[in-house]
Amino acid sequence: MKRSLKFIQPLILILLIGGLYGFAEHRHKNRKLTDIKVSFTETENLYVTEEVVNKLLIQSNDSVSSIDKETLDLNRVEAMLNDHDMIENAEVFLTLDGKLKATVSQRKPIGRVAGNSSFYLDRNGEIMPLSEYYSARVPLMFGFDGSTVAEVYGIVSYVQNDDFLRKHITGITRLNAEAYALELRENDFQVYFGDTTKIDLKFNNFKAFYKKATKDKKLNTYKKVNLQFGDQVVCTKK
């Protein structure tokens, strides 16, 4: 009898633990969501607001408290957020205390096409619509449309990632399929960039020229600065 009890007691304990685990798991799955928390990976300007993300998270127009963890499809919620024009990437997850959390990365514009149609070029080289909540301070792009804007992604991206160029360059104009010009914030001379080859060399030459001309107080004596030759900067005086 004692020997039988030695075998029965562990079995009962295992069954009891299993039952408690199953009960806790069932309660966890069926627990109602109590809150939604949205966070943005970058604290910069919001092209999509927390309120907009919250509305996307609440499925089927139900209130948050009525959504069941068992029926919530996180993949579908993530896909819904990632389909938004202003969202680059979203990750959605549940916490143990019943909160639905979303971490959102916004798309980041690096240039704005101005003309008959207006839109952004984002940091991934894709077309991004304007936001109703915030207007980005990025270089204006003239003479472009949806079919040509990708031509200068390399130039615009380089400007965005360089502190000096981002401070001084305010615009880029498409002269033709192989020639582009840059506009400066504080100077009235035109910077003829040429085509999209040797971007690094051209900009390094320009920065060296600009600093030297500033030191010599000669910036206002030029009407055109030509970078197309790559290995040199050719200036035309007024």
Side-chain angles (χ1 to χ4, degrees):
M1 183 66 178
K2 290 183 179 181
R3 182 176 298 178
S4 298
L5 287 174
K6 290 181 180 179
F7 290 103
I8 294 173
Q9 288 175 344
L11 180 60
I12 294 174
L13 183 60
I14 292 173
L15 292 173
L16 181 60
I17 293 174
L20 291 173
Y21 176 81
F23 176 73
E25 181 71 9
H26 177 75
R27 286 194 62 187
H28 173 70
K29 287 182 178 180
N30 289 282
R31 181 180 294 177
K32 303 299 181 181
L33 296 175
T34 59
D35 194 12
I36 290 180
K37 174 65 176 177
V38 177
S39 60
F40 293 90
T41 57
E42 298 175 4
T43 57
E44 297 179 356
N45 308 305
L46 295 180
Y47 302 102
V48 57
T49 65
E50 182 176 339
E51 180 183 1
V52 171
V53 177
N54 273 328
K55 288 181 179 178
L56 290 172
L57 286 172
I58 301 174
Q59 303 176 44
S60 303
N61 297 319
D62 291 332
S63 65
V64 177
S65 61
S66 69
I67 300 175
D68 195 293
K69 285 187 175 183
E70 180 71 14
T71 60
L72 182 63
D73 186 345
L74 292 179
N75 290 331
R76 188 168 76 86
V77 175
E78 279 190 357
M80 187 164 35
L81 291 181
N82 285 321
D83 282 342
H84 194 279
D85 287 335
M86 299 297 164
I87 294 177
E88 185 174 283
N89 184 62
E91 295 182 358
V92 181
F93 57 95
L94 289 168
T95 63
L96 292 176
D97 56 352
K99 290 182 173 60
L100 180 66
K101 292 195 174 184
T103 302
V104 177
S105 298
Q106 298 181 97
R107 296 176 70 183
K108 186 173 183 179
I110 59 174
R112 175 172 176 168
V113 171
N116 293 330
S117 60
S118 188
F119 54 86
Y120 291 124
L121 177 69
D122 78 1
R123 59 183 166 187
N124 296 315
E126 299 177 353
I127 291 175
M128 172 183 172
L130 303 183
S131 170
E132 62 179 295
Y133 302 105
Y134 185 81
S135 180
R137 296 185 63 183
V138 292
L140 293 176
M141 305 170 68
F142 303 97
F144 296 93
D145 57 29
S147 64
T148 60
V149 67
E151 295 174 358
V152 287
Y153 170 69
I155 297 176
V156 182
S157 179
Y158 195 100
V159 170
Q160 179 65 31
N161 291 313
D162 185 284
D163 291 338
F164 177 87
L165 298 175
R166 190 169 61 250
K167 176 182 177 182
H168 291 285
I169 294 176
T170 60
I172 178 170
T173 300
R174 185 181 191 266
L175 304 176
N176 57 60
E178 296 182 353
Y180 308 93
L182 308 176
E183 296 180 11
L184 303 181
R185 186 181 307 279
E186 299 174 354
N187 306 98
D188 60 358
F189 59 80
Q190 183 189 65
V191 180
Y192 185 82
F193 195 86
D195 61 22
T196 57
T197 63
K198 300 180 180 178
I199 294 175
D200 184 80
L201 177 60
K202 290 176 182 178
F203 274 132
N204 283 337
N205 287 343
F206 173 71
K207 288 191 287 185
F209 152 77
Y210 194 97
K211 292 176 181 178
K212 176 81 166 53
T214 300
K215 182 179 179 181
D216 296 339
K217 298 181 179 180
K218 292 184 177 180
L219 278 177
N220 293 327
T221 66
Y222 301 112
K223 66 177 181 179
K224 185 176 181 179
V225 174
N226 195 332
L227 307 176
Q228 70 172 323
F229 302 108
D231 58 343
Q232 60 181 325
V233 177
V234 178
C235 302
T236 303
K237 290 191 174 182
K238 294 180 179 178

